[in-house]
C-alpha cells in the first residue's frame, strides 16, 4: 500500500509539488494570523526555537556536504546528504508549526541599523522560505527520478537559496532570542 502511494506520488511529482507547496505555505500563513495558545506554555515549547535553529544549522551543513559530494561526482553520498537535509528541514517544519501554533509572535526589540539589518534578513528569509518549498521538492523529485539535465536546472537555483534560507534562519533566531518573554 505505502509503496503504491509512493509510486503515485513520484509518477505525478509535479502535482505533488504543487499540492505540498500550497498546503505548507497556506499553513504557515494561517498560523501567522491566529492568536497564540491561551494557557501556560509548556517548557518544551519554549525550547522549540532553539531546536529550529539547530535543525537549520544541520540543514545548512548537510547541504554543503551534498554540494561537495556532487562536485566530486559521488552521487551516493550526495543523495544521503540530501536525504539528511530533507529530514532536518522536515523536523524544523513540524517544530516551527507547533511553536507558532502555541505562542504569540515575538516582536524584535532592537533599534537603528541593527533593526534594519534584522528586518532585511527576516523579510528575505520569509519570502525565500516560501519559494524554496517548490524548488526543493522539484529538485528532489527530478533527482530521485534521475532526470539529470532537468535536476541540474532546478538545483542551480535551489542550492544557493536553500543555503541562504537555512543560514538566515539561524541568524534570525540569534537576533530574536534575547526578546523571548517565556
Amino acid at each position: 500500500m505505502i509503496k503504491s502511494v509512493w509510486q503515485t506520488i513520484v509518477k505525478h511529482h509535479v502535482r505533488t509539488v504543487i499540492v505540498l507547496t500550497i498546503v505548507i505555505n497556506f499553513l504557515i500563513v494561517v498560523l501567522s494570523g491566529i492568536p497564540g495558545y491561551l494557557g501556560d506554555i509548556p517548557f518544551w515549547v519554549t525550547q522549540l526555537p532553539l531546536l529550529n535553529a539547530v535543525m537549520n544549522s544541520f540543514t545548512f551543513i548537510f547541504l554543503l556536504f551534498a554540494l561537495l559530494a556532487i562536485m566530486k561526482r559521488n552521487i551516493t553520498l550526495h543523495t544521503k546528504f540530501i536525504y539528511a537535509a530533507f529530514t532536518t528541514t522536515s523536523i524544523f517544519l513540524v517544530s516551527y508549526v507547533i511553536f507558532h501554533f502555541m505562542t504569540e509572535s515575538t516582536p524584535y526589540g532592537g533599534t537603528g541599523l541593527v533593526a534594519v539589518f534584522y528586518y532585511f534578513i527576516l523579510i528575505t528569509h520569509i519570502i525565500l522560505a516560501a519559494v524554496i518549498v517548490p524548488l526543493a521538492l522539484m529538485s528532489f523529485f527530478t533527482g530521485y527520478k534521475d532526470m539529470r539535465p532537468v535536476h541540474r536546472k532546478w538545483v542551480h537555483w535551489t542550492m544557493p537559496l536553500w543555503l541562504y534560507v537555512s543560514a538566515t534562519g539561524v541568524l534570525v533566531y540569534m537576533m530574536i532570542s534575547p526578546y523571548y518573554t517565556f
Side-chain angles (χ1 to χ4, degrees), residues 16 20 23 31 42 62 73 127 131 140 146 150 178:
T16 300
L20 284 174
V23 168
L31 283 173
F62 292 147
R73 309 240 186 262
I127 291 168
V131 169
F140 173 82
D146 200 19
V150 177

PDB file of all heavy atoms in Angstrom, residues 16 20 23 31 42 62 73 127 131 140 146 150 178:
ATOM      1  N   THR A  16       2.214  16.694  -7.006  1.00  0.00           N
ATOM      2  CA  THR A  16       2.609  16.558  -5.600  1.00  0.00           C
ATOM      3  C   THR A  16       3.286  17.831  -5.107  1.00  0.00           C
ATOM      4  O   THR A  16       2.976  18.328  -4.026  1.00  0.00           O
ATOM      5  CB  THR A  16       3.564  15.355  -5.428  1.00  0.00           C
ATOM      6  OG1 THR A  16       2.895  14.167  -5.853  1.00  0.00           O
ATOM      7  CG2 THR A  16       4.019  15.214  -3.994  1.00  0.00           C
ATOM      8  N   LEU A  20       1.756  20.155  -2.155  1.00  0.00           N
ATOM      9  CA  LEU A  20       2.544  20.357  -0.937  1.00  0.00           C
ATOM     10  C   LEU A  20       2.935  21.822  -0.746  1.00  0.00           C
ATOM     11  O   LEU A  20       2.902  22.340   0.368  1.00  0.00           O
ATOM     12  CB  LEU A  20       3.800  19.477  -0.955  1.00  0.00           C
ATOM     13  CG  LEU A  20       3.585  18.010  -0.658  1.00  0.00           C
ATOM     14  CD1 LEU A  20       4.877  17.231  -0.847  1.00  0.00           C
ATOM     15  CD2 LEU A  20       3.031  17.808   0.747  1.00  0.00           C
ATOM     16  N   VAL A  23      -0.233  23.656   0.460  1.00  0.00           N
ATOM     17  CA  VAL A  23      -0.593  23.271   1.830  1.00  0.00           C
ATOM     18  C   VAL A  23       0.395  23.827   2.840  1.00  0.00           C
ATOM     19  O   VAL A  23       0.009  24.431   3.843  1.00  0.00           O
ATOM     20  CB  VAL A  23      -0.702  21.726   1.957  1.00  0.00           C
ATOM     21  CG1 VAL A  23      -0.792  21.295   3.403  1.00  0.00           C
ATOM     22  CG2 VAL A  23      -1.903  21.222   1.166  1.00  0.00           C
ATOM     23  N   LEU A  31      -1.121  30.220  10.329  1.00  0.00           N
ATOM     24  CA  LEU A  31      -0.556  30.245  11.682  1.00  0.00           C
ATOM     25  C   LEU A  31      -0.072  31.632  12.075  1.00  0.00           C
ATOM     26  O   LEU A  31      -0.146  32.007  13.243  1.00  0.00           O
ATOM     27  CB  LEU A  31       0.606  29.256  11.792  1.00  0.00           C
ATOM     28  CG  LEU A  31       0.202  27.800  11.914  1.00  0.00           C
ATOM     29  CD1 LEU A  31       1.421  26.905  11.855  1.00  0.00           C
ATOM     30  CD2 LEU A  31      -0.557  27.566  13.204  1.00  0.00           C
ATOM     31  N   PRO A  42       3.970  25.205  27.824  1.00  0.00           N
ATOM     32  CA  PRO A  42       4.848  24.188  28.407  1.00  0.00           C
ATOM     33  C   PRO A  42       6.317  24.502  28.126  1.00  0.00           C
ATOM     34  O   PRO A  42       6.651  25.083  27.080  1.00  0.00           O
ATOM     35  CB  PRO A  42       4.436  22.894  27.694  1.00  0.00           C
ATOM     36  CG  PRO A  42       3.100  23.175  27.100  1.00  0.00           C
ATOM     37  CD  PRO A  42       3.031  24.645  26.851  1.00  0.00           C
ATOM     38  N   PHE A  62      24.433  19.864   5.979  1.00  0.00           N
ATOM     39  CA  PHE A  62      24.138  18.747   5.075  1.00  0.00           C
ATOM     40  C   PHE A  62      24.113  19.202   3.614  1.00  0.00           C
ATOM     41  O   PHE A  62      24.585  18.492   2.718  1.00  0.00           O
ATOM     42  CB  PHE A  62      22.814  18.080   5.445  1.00  0.00           C
ATOM     43  CG  PHE A  62      22.848  17.347   6.758  1.00  0.00           C
ATOM     44  CD1 PHE A  62      21.708  17.293   7.551  1.00  0.00           C
ATOM     45  CD2 PHE A  62      23.992  16.708   7.218  1.00  0.00           C
ATOM     46  CE1 PHE A  62      21.720  16.612   8.767  1.00  0.00           C
ATOM     47  CE2 PHE A  62      24.011  16.023   8.424  1.00  0.00           C
ATOM     48  CZ  PHE A  62      22.873  15.978   9.203  1.00  0.00           C
ATOM     49  N   ARG A  73      31.482  14.105  -7.820  1.00  0.00           N
ATOM     50  CA  ARG A  73      30.741  13.100  -8.572  1.00  0.00           C
ATOM     51  C   ARG A  73      30.375  11.864  -7.741  1.00  0.00           C
ATOM     52  O   ARG A  73      30.208  10.776  -8.274  1.00  0.00           O
ATOM     53  CB  ARG A  73      31.508  12.678  -9.825  1.00  0.00           C
ATOM     54  CG  ARG A  73      31.963  13.839 -10.673  1.00  0.00           C
ATOM     55  CD  ARG A  73      31.371  13.760 -12.041  1.00  0.00           C
ATOM     56  NE  ARG A  73      31.901  14.782 -12.927  1.00  0.00           N
ATOM     57  CZ  ARG A  73      31.281  15.928 -13.179  1.00  0.00           C
ATOM     58  NH1 ARG A  73      30.143  16.192 -12.607  1.00  0.00           N
ATOM     59  NH2 ARG A  73      31.795  16.796 -14.019  1.00  0.00           N
ATOM     60  N   ILE A 127      10.329  35.313   2.546  1.00  0.00           N
ATOM     61  CA  ILE A 127       9.959  35.210   1.127  1.00  0.00           C
ATOM     62  C   ILE A 127      10.636  34.003   0.485  1.00  0.00           C
ATOM     63  O   ILE A 127       9.989  33.183  -0.186  1.00  0.00           O
ATOM     64  CB  ILE A 127      10.309  36.509   0.374  1.00  0.00           C
ATOM     65  CG1 ILE A 127       9.405  37.650   0.841  1.00  0.00           C
ATOM     66  CG2 ILE A 127      10.216  36.315  -1.140  1.00  0.00           C
ATOM     67  CD1 ILE A 127       9.844  39.031   0.393  1.00  0.00           C
ATOM     68  N   VAL A 131       9.464  30.342  -1.259  1.00  0.00           N
ATOM     69  CA  VAL A 131       9.905  29.989  -2.609  1.00  0.00           C
ATOM     70  C   VAL A 131      10.652  28.653  -2.622  1.00  0.00           C
ATOM     71  O   VAL A 131      10.551  27.882  -3.580  1.00  0.00           O
ATOM     72  CB  VAL A 131      10.795  31.118  -3.190  1.00  0.00           C
ATOM     73  CG1 VAL A 131      11.496  30.695  -4.461  1.00  0.00           C
ATOM     74  CG2 VAL A 131       9.971  32.377  -3.418  1.00  0.00           C
ATOM     75  N   PHE A 140      14.310  17.597  -5.581  1.00  0.00           N
ATOM     76  CA  PHE A 140      14.300  16.247  -5.026  1.00  0.00           C
ATOM     77  C   PHE A 140      13.735  15.243  -6.026  1.00  0.00           C
ATOM     78  O   PHE A 140      14.352  14.213  -6.314  1.00  0.00           O
ATOM     79  CB  PHE A 140      13.490  16.208  -3.728  1.00  0.00           C
ATOM     80  CG  PHE A 140      13.304  14.816  -3.198  1.00  0.00           C
ATOM     81  CD1 PHE A 140      14.297  14.215  -2.446  1.00  0.00           C
ATOM     82  CD2 PHE A 140      12.150  14.096  -3.477  1.00  0.00           C
ATOM     83  CE1 PHE A 140      14.145  12.915  -1.974  1.00  0.00           C
ATOM     84  CE2 PHE A 140      11.984  12.799  -3.014  1.00  0.00           C
ATOM     85  CZ  PHE A 140      12.989  12.198  -2.254  1.00  0.00           C
ATOM     86  N   ASP A 146      16.116  10.525 -11.497  1.00  0.00           N
ATOM     87  CA  ASP A 146      17.332  10.537 -12.315  1.00  0.00           C
ATOM     88  C   ASP A 146      17.136  11.306 -13.626  1.00  0.00           C
ATOM     89  O   ASP A 146      17.593  10.893 -14.689  1.00  0.00           O
ATOM     90  CB  ASP A 146      17.833   9.115 -12.578  1.00  0.00           C
ATOM     91  CG  ASP A 146      19.314   9.099 -12.972  1.00  0.00           C
ATOM     92  OD1 ASP A 146      20.018  10.096 -12.697  1.00  0.00           O
ATOM     93  OD2 ASP A 146      19.759   8.102 -13.562  1.00  0.00           O
ATOM     94  N   VAL A 150      17.336  18.096 -16.151  1.00  0.00           N
ATOM     95  CA  VAL A 150      16.291  18.901 -15.510  1.00  0.00           C
ATOM     96  C   VAL A 150      16.671  19.168 -14.053  1.00  0.00           C
ATOM     97  O   VAL A 150      16.511  20.289 -13.553  1.00  0.00           O
ATOM     98  CB  VAL A 150      14.924  18.182 -15.599  1.00  0.00           C
ATOM     99  CG1 VAL A 150      13.839  18.958 -14.870  1.00  0.00           C
ATOM    100  CG2 VAL A 150      14.541  17.939 -17.046  1.00  0.00           C
ATOM    101  N   PRO A 178      16.984  37.026  22.325  1.00  0.00           N
ATOM    102  CA  PRO A 178      17.019  37.818  23.567  1.00  0.00           C
ATOM    103  C   PRO A 178      15.669  38.456  23.933  1.00  0.00           C
ATOM    104  O   PRO A 178      15.478  38.899  25.062  1.00  0.00           O
ATOM    105  CB  PRO A 178      18.059  38.904  23.278  1.00  0.00           C
ATOM    106  CG  PRO A 178      18.879  38.397  22.170  1.00  0.00           C
ATOM    107  CD  PRO A 178      17.969  37.511  21.366  1.00  0.00           C
TER     108      PRO A 178
END
